[in-house]
Amino acid sequence: MEEKLLNLSQTISQDQIYNFFKGIDLERIFTKKVYPVWAFTNENLEELKNLTNFKNKEIFSILGSADQPIYFLCQGAKTVIACDNRDLACLFAEFKISVLKNLSFKEIFLEKEKENSKIYFEKIRNELSLKAKKFFDYLFEGPPKNIFLTLKKSGFFYGESWYFLKKKDWLSYLKNSSKARKNLNNFFILNTDLEKGLRILKRKFDLIYTSNIFDSKKYCPDFEKAIIQIDLHLKEKGGVLITTQESPKKIIPIFKNLGYNFKIKEPKKKFFSIFSISRTYPYYYILAKRK
């Protein structure tokens, strides 16, 4: 993975990517001193498609579960550079990318009866960086194990993650992994936060996807500073895709002051959410575009 990032020399210099996986603290992960991550997204990706198109766009994205960047590529994005300052999210994104390149998701996540998965893991392992190899070697050490069940029982992922794997039509790329595989060489990961990632790239994008970082000061300590950084790295007709469970009122005024218009897809009414057996989350889906 490190070598592939170096192929981006026209975009990112070797000095600028010094932090890619270098700072990952495996000991903190092994001793469970990190928060779990989402193995699969709880955001409805089809709602994003309803707001804009991704064809031929250069996109900067929060990494999250990696489902969003993969989805953008399946929808025709030219390049996706994703960032996340959570070490575990970066490691699992590598794993997921390798699964898509070398196997089918059915073999790993949907055929749970296959206990002897040693041969599958070896195919995945070949694509991983040194840090990712160490982590997954640790996870799968000992006798051959069922990969899906090992991941699910590891405690490294939120339990609800696996519900979205089974939800019909939620992750459309699972049905067409060959399309995802075709574009994965245009997917690059930075182990850093959104602001720092944008600063070190020193380039502009057609679209920036923030996921739900504006839901909490823990995710994004200074909303205004982050939004100004986003604005600096958008092309003239660029847009920002935002998801939030909170009211958009706390971020929209900042974008408005910078000259943006909005398209908003509101969540279902809370009354229906309360009585729904669905584990999906009530997100607002927002597209902010320059006037």
Side-chain angles (χ1 to χ4, degrees), residues 84-130:
D84 210 301
N85 60 0
R86 297 170 302 162
D87 298 349
L88 188 53
C90 292
L91 294 175
F92 188 62
E94 268 206 80
F95 184 88
K96 190 177 283 189
I97 291 166
S98 185
V99 171
L100 280 169
K101 283 184 174 180
N102 297 287
L103 298 161
S104 72
F105 261 66
K106 184 178 180 182
E107 288 173 310
I108 298 303
F109 296 113
L110 302 178
E111 293 186 359
K112 304 180 187 65
E113 72 278 4
K114 290 196 173 182
E115 292 299 330
N116 188 337
S117 298
K118 192 78 170 179
I119 188 170
Y120 289 158
F121 176 58
E122 287 304 318
K123 288 181 180 179
I124 299 167
R125 189 180 185 277
N126 290 336
E127 294 278 343
L128 302 180
S129 66
L130 290 176

Coordinates of all heavy atoms in Angstrom, one line a residue, residues 84-130:
D84 N -8.5 9.4 7.6 CA -9.0 9.0 8.9 C -7.9 9.0 9.9 O -6.9 8.4 9.7 CB -9.7 7.7 8.9 CG -10.9 7.6 9.8 OD1 -10.7 7.8 11.1 OD2 -12.0 7.4 9.4
N85 N -8.1 9.7 11.1 CA -7.1 9.7 12.1 C -7.3 8.5 13.1 O -6.5 8.4 14.0 CB -7.1 11.0 12.9 CG -8.4 11.3 13.5 OD1 -9.4 10.5 13.4 ND2 -8.5 12.4 14.2
R86 N -8.2 7.6 12.8 CA -8.4 6.4 13.6 C -7.6 5.3 13.0 O -7.9 4.8 11.9 CB -9.9 6.1 13.7 CG -10.7 7.1 14.4 CD -12.2 6.8 14.3 NE -12.6 6.7 12.9 CZ -13.7 6.2 12.5 NH1 -14.5 5.6 13.3 NH2 -14.0 6.1 11.2
D87 N -6.6 4.8 13.7 CA -5.7 3.8 13.1 C -6.5 2.5 12.7 O -6.2 2.0 11.6 CB -4.7 3.4 14.2 CG -3.8 4.6 14.6 OD1 -3.8 5.6 13.9 OD2 -3.0 4.4 15.6
L88 N -7.4 2.1 13.5 CA -8.1 0.9 13.2 C -9.0 1.0 12.0 O -9.0 0.0 11.2 CB -9.0 0.5 14.4 CG -9.7 -0.8 14.5 CD1 -8.7 -2.0 14.2 CD2 -10.5 -1.0 15.8
A89 N -9.5 2.2 11.7 CA -10.3 2.4 10.5 C -9.4 2.2 9.3 O -9.8 1.6 8.3 CB -11.0 3.7 10.5
C90 N -8.2 2.8 9.3 CA -7.3 2.7 8.2 C -6.9 1.2 7.9 O -6.8 0.8 6.8 CB -6.0 3.5 8.5 SG -6.4 5.3 8.4
L91 N -6.6 0.5 9.0 CA -6.2 -0.9 8.8 C -7.3 -1.8 8.2 O -7.1 -2.6 7.4 CB -5.8 -1.5 10.2 CG -4.5 -0.9 10.8 CD1 -4.3 -1.5 12.2 CD2 -3.3 -1.1 10.0
F92 N -8.5 -1.5 8.7 CA -9.6 -2.3 8.2 C -10.0 -1.9 6.8 O -10.4 -2.8 6.0 CB -10.9 -2.3 9.1 CG -12.0 -3.2 8.7 CD1 -11.7 -4.6 8.7 CD2 -13.2 -2.8 8.2 CE1 -12.7 -5.5 8.3 CE2 -14.2 -3.6 7.8 CZ -13.9 -5.0 7.8
A93 N -9.8 -0.7 6.4 CA -10.0 -0.3 5.0 C -9.1 -1.0 4.1 O -9.4 -1.4 3.0 CB -9.8 1.3 4.9
E94 N -7.8 -1.1 4.5 CA -6.8 -1.9 3.7 C -7.3 -3.3 3.5 O -7.3 -3.9 2.4 CB -5.5 -2.0 4.4 CG -4.5 -0.9 4.1 CD -3.1 -1.3 4.3 OE1 -2.6 -2.1 3.5 OE2 -2.6 -1.0 5.4
F95 N -7.8 -3.9 4.6 CA -8.3 -5.3 4.6 C -9.5 -5.4 3.6 O -9.5 -6.3 2.7 CB -8.8 -5.7 6.0 CG -9.2 -7.1 6.1 CD1 -8.3 -8.1 6.4 CD2 -10.6 -7.5 5.9 CE1 -8.8 -9.5 6.5 CE2 -11.0 -8.8 6.0 CZ -10.1 -9.8 6.3
K96 N -10.4 -4.5 3.7 CA -11.6 -4.5 2.8 C -11.2 -4.3 1.3 O -11.7 -5.0 0.4 CB -12.6 -3.4 3.2 CG -13.9 -3.5 2.6 CD -14.9 -2.4 3.1 CE -15.4 -2.7 4.4 NZ -16.5 -1.8 4.8
I97 N -10.3 -3.4 1.1 CA -9.8 -3.2 -0.3 C -9.2 -4.5 -0.9 O -9.4 -4.9 -2.0 CB -8.8 -2.1 -0.4 CG1 -9.5 -0.7 -0.1 CG2 -8.1 -2.0 -1.7 CD1 -8.5 0.4 0.2
S98 N -8.4 -5.1 0.0 CA -7.7 -6.4 -0.5 C -8.7 -7.5 -0.7 O -8.6 -8.3 -1.7 CB -6.7 -6.8 0.6 OG -6.0 -8.0 0.1
V99 N -9.8 -7.6 0.1 CA -10.9 -8.5 -0.2 C -11.5 -8.3 -1.6 O -11.6 -9.2 -2.4 CB -12.0 -8.5 0.9 CG1 -13.2 -9.3 0.5 CG2 -11.4 -8.9 2.2
L100 N -11.8 -7.0 -1.8 CA -12.4 -6.6 -3.1 C -11.4 -7.0 -4.3 O -11.9 -7.3 -5.4 CB -12.7 -5.2 -3.2 CG -14.0 -4.8 -2.5 CD1 -14.1 -3.3 -2.3 CD2 -15.2 -5.3 -3.2
K101 N -10.1 -6.8 -4.1 CA -9.2 -7.1 -5.2 C -9.0 -8.5 -5.5 O -8.7 -8.9 -6.6 CB -7.8 -6.4 -4.9 CG -7.8 -4.9 -5.1 CD -6.4 -4.4 -4.8 CE -6.3 -2.9 -5.1 NZ -4.9 -2.4 -4.9
N102 N -9.0 -9.3 -4.4 CA -8.6 -10.7 -4.5 C -9.7 -11.8 -4.4 O -9.5 -12.9 -4.8 CB -7.5 -11.0 -3.5 CG -6.3 -10.1 -3.7 OD1 -5.5 -10.4 -4.6 ND2 -6.1 -9.1 -2.9
L103 N -10.8 -11.4 -3.8 CA -11.8 -12.4 -3.5 C -13.2 -11.8 -3.7 O -13.3 -10.6 -4.1 CB -11.7 -12.9 -2.0 CG -10.4 -13.6 -1.6 CD1 -10.3 -13.6 -0.1 CD2 -10.4 -15.0 -2.2
S104 N -14.2 -12.5 -3.5 CA -15.6 -12.0 -3.5 C -16.0 -11.8 -2.0 O -15.6 -12.5 -1.1 CB -16.6 -12.9 -4.2 OG -16.8 -14.0 -3.4
F105 N -16.9 -10.8 -1.8 CA -17.4 -10.6 -0.5 C -18.2 -11.8 0.0 O -18.2 -12.1 1.2 CB -18.2 -9.3 -0.4 CG -17.5 -8.1 0.1 CD1 -16.4 -7.6 -0.6 CD2 -17.8 -7.5 1.3 CE1 -15.7 -6.5 -0.2 CE2 -17.1 -6.5 1.8 CZ -16.1 -5.9 1.0
K106 N -18.8 -12.5 -0.9 CA -19.5 -13.7 -0.5 C -18.6 -14.7 0.2 O -19.0 -15.3 1.2 CB -20.2 -14.3 -1.7 CG -21.1 -15.5 -1.4 CD -21.7 -16.0 -2.7 CE -22.6 -17.2 -2.4 NZ -23.2 -17.8 -3.6
E107 N -17.4 -14.9 -0.4 CA -16.5 -15.8 0.2 C -16.1 -15.5 1.6 O -15.8 -16.4 2.5 CB -15.2 -15.9 -0.7 CG -15.4 -16.6 -2.0 CD -14.2 -16.5 -2.9 OE1 -13.6 -15.4 -3.1 OE2 -13.8 -17.6 -3.4
I108 N -16.0 -14.2 1.9 CA -15.4 -13.8 3.2 C -16.6 -13.5 4.2 O -16.5 -13.9 5.4 CB -14.6 -12.5 3.1 CG1 -13.4 -12.8 2.2 CG2 -14.1 -12.0 4.4 CD1 -12.5 -14.0 2.7
F109 N -17.6 -12.8 3.8 CA -18.6 -12.3 4.8 C -19.9 -13.0 4.7 O -20.7 -12.9 5.6 CB -18.8 -10.8 4.5 CG -17.6 -10.0 4.8 CD1 -16.9 -9.3 3.8 CD2 -17.1 -9.8 6.1 CE1 -15.8 -8.5 4.0 CE2 -15.9 -9.1 6.3 CZ -15.3 -8.4 5.3
L110 N -20.2 -13.7 3.6 CA -21.6 -14.3 3.5 C -21.6 -15.8 3.6 O -22.7 -16.4 3.7 CB -22.2 -13.8 2.2 CG -22.3 -12.2 2.1 CD1 -22.9 -11.8 0.7 CD2 -23.1 -11.6 3.2
E111 N -20.5 -16.4 3.5 CA -20.4 -17.9 3.6 C -19.9 -18.3 5.0 O -18.8 -18.7 5.1 CB -19.6 -18.5 2.5 CG -20.2 -18.3 1.1 CD -19.5 -19.1 0.0 OE1 -18.5 -19.7 0.3 OE2 -19.9 -19.0 -1.2
K112 N -20.7 -18.1 6.0 CA -20.2 -18.2 7.4 C -19.9 -19.6 7.8 O -19.3 -19.8 8.8 CB -21.3 -17.6 8.3 CG -21.7 -16.1 8.0 CD -22.7 -15.6 8.9 CE -23.2 -14.2 8.5 NZ -23.9 -14.2 7.2
E113 N -20.4 -20.6 7.0 CA -20.2 -22.0 7.4 C -18.8 -22.4 7.1 O -18.3 -23.5 7.5 CB -21.2 -22.9 6.6 CG -20.9 -23.1 5.1 CD -21.5 -21.9 4.3 OE1 -22.0 -21.0 4.9 OE2 -21.4 -22.0 3.0
K114 N -18.0 -21.6 6.3 CA -16.6 -22.0 5.9 C -15.7 -21.7 7.1 O -15.3 -20.6 7.3 CB -16.2 -21.3 4.7 CG -16.9 -21.8 3.4 CD -16.2 -21.4 2.2 CE -16.9 -22.0 1.0 NZ -16.2 -21.7 -0.3
E115 N -15.3 -22.8 7.8 CA -14.4 -22.6 9.0 C -13.0 -22.4 8.6 O -12.2 -21.7 9.2 CB -14.6 -23.7 10.0 CG -16.0 -23.8 10.6 CD -16.3 -22.6 11.4 OE1 -15.3 -22.0 12.0 OE2 -17.5 -22.2 11.5
N116 N -12.6 -23.2 7.6 CA -11.1 -23.1 7.2 C -10.9 -22.1 6.2 O -11.1 -22.2 5.0 CB -10.7 -24.5 6.6 CG -9.2 -24.6 6.4 OD1 -8.5 -23.6 6.3 ND2 -8.7 -25.8 6.4
S117 N -10.5 -20.9 6.7 CA -10.3 -19.7 5.8 C -8.9 -19.3 5.6 O -8.6 -18.2 5.2 CB -11.1 -18.5 6.3 OG -12.5 -18.8 6.4
K118 N -8.0 -20.2 5.9 CA -6.5 -19.9 5.9 C -6.1 -19.5 4.4 O -5.4 -18.5 4.2 CB -5.7 -21.1 6.3 CG -4.2 -20.8 6.5 CD -4.0 -20.2 7.9 CE -2.6 -20.1 8.2 NZ -2.3 -19.5 9.5
I119 N -6.6 -20.2 3.5 CA -6.2 -19.9 2.1 C -6.8 -18.5 1.7 O -6.1 -17.8 0.9 CB -6.7 -21.0 1.1 CG1 -6.1 -20.8 -0.3 CG2 -8.2 -21.1 1.1 CD1 -6.4 -21.9 -1.2
Y120 N -8.0 -18.2 2.2 CA -8.5 -16.9 1.9 C -7.7 -15.8 2.5 O -7.4 -14.7 1.9 CB -10.0 -16.8 2.4 CG -11.0 -17.6 1.6 CD1 -12.2 -18.0 2.1 CD2 -10.7 -18.0 0.3 CE1 -13.1 -18.7 1.4 CE2 -11.6 -18.7 -0.5 CZ -12.8 -19.1 0.1 OH -13.7 -19.8 -0.6
F121 N -7.3 -15.9 3.8 CA -6.6 -14.9 4.5 C -5.2 -14.7 3.8 O -4.8 -13.5 3.7 CB -6.4 -15.3 5.9 CG -5.5 -14.3 6.7 CD1 -5.9 -13.0 6.7 CD2 -4.3 -14.7 7.3 CE1 -5.1 -12.0 7.4 CE2 -3.5 -13.8 7.9 CZ -3.9 -12.5 8.0
E122 N -4.6 -15.7 3.3 CA -3.3 -15.5 2.6 C -3.5 -14.7 1.4 O -2.6 -13.9 1.0 CB -2.7 -16.9 2.3 CG -2.1 -17.6 3.5 CD -1.1 -16.8 4.3 OE1 -0.3 -16.1 3.6 OE2 -1.2 -16.8 5.5
K123 N -4.6 -14.8 0.7 CA -4.8 -14.0 -0.5 C -5.0 -12.5 -0.1 O -4.6 -11.6 -0.9 CB -6.0 -14.5 -1.3 CG -5.8 -15.8 -2.0 CD -7.0 -16.3 -2.7 CE -6.8 -17.6 -3.5 NZ -8.0 -18.1 -4.2
I124 N -5.7 -12.3 1.0 CA -5.9 -10.9 1.4 C -4.6 -10.3 1.9 O -4.3 -9.2 1.6 CB -7.0 -10.9 2.6 CG1 -8.3 -11.4 2.1 CG2 -7.1 -9.5 3.1 CD1 -9.3 -11.8 3.2
R125 N -3.8 -11.1 2.6 CA -2.6 -10.6 3.3 C -1.6 -10.0 2.3 O -0.9 -9.1 2.7 CB -2.0 -11.8 4.1 CG -0.9 -11.4 5.0 CD -0.3 -12.6 5.8 NE 0.6 -12.2 6.7 CZ 1.9 -12.0 6.5 NH1 2.4 -12.1 5.2 NH2 2.8 -11.7 7.4
N126 N -1.5 -10.6 1.2 CA -0.5 -10.2 0.2 C -0.6 -8.7 -0.1 O 0.4 -8.1 -0.5 CB -0.6 -11.0 -1.1 CG -0.2 -12.4 -0.9 OD1 0.6 -12.8 0.0 ND2 -0.7 -13.3 -1.7
E127 N -1.8 -8.1 -0.1 CA -1.9 -6.7 -0.5 C -1.7 -5.7 0.7 O -1.7 -4.5 0.5 CB -3.4 -6.5 -1.0 CG -3.7 -7.2 -2.3 CD -3.2 -6.4 -3.5 OE1 -2.9 -5.2 -3.4 OE2 -3.1 -7.1 -4.6
L128 N -1.5 -6.2 1.9 CA -1.5 -5.3 3.1 C -0.2 -4.7 3.3 O 0.9 -5.3 3.0 CB -2.0 -6.1 4.3 CG -3.3 -6.8 4.3 CD1 -3.6 -7.6 5.6 CD2 -4.4 -5.8 4.0
S129 N -0.2 -3.5 4.0 CA 1.0 -2.9 4.4 C 1.6 -3.7 5.6 O 0.9 -4.5 6.2 CB 0.8 -1.4 4.9 OG -0.1 -1.4 6.0
L130 N 2.8 -3.3 6.0 CA 3.4 -4.1 7.1 C 2.6 -4.0 8.4 O 2.4 -4.9 9.2 CB 4.9 -3.5 7.4 CG 5.9 -3.9 6.3 CD1 7.2 -3.2 6.6 CD2 6.0 -5.4 6.2

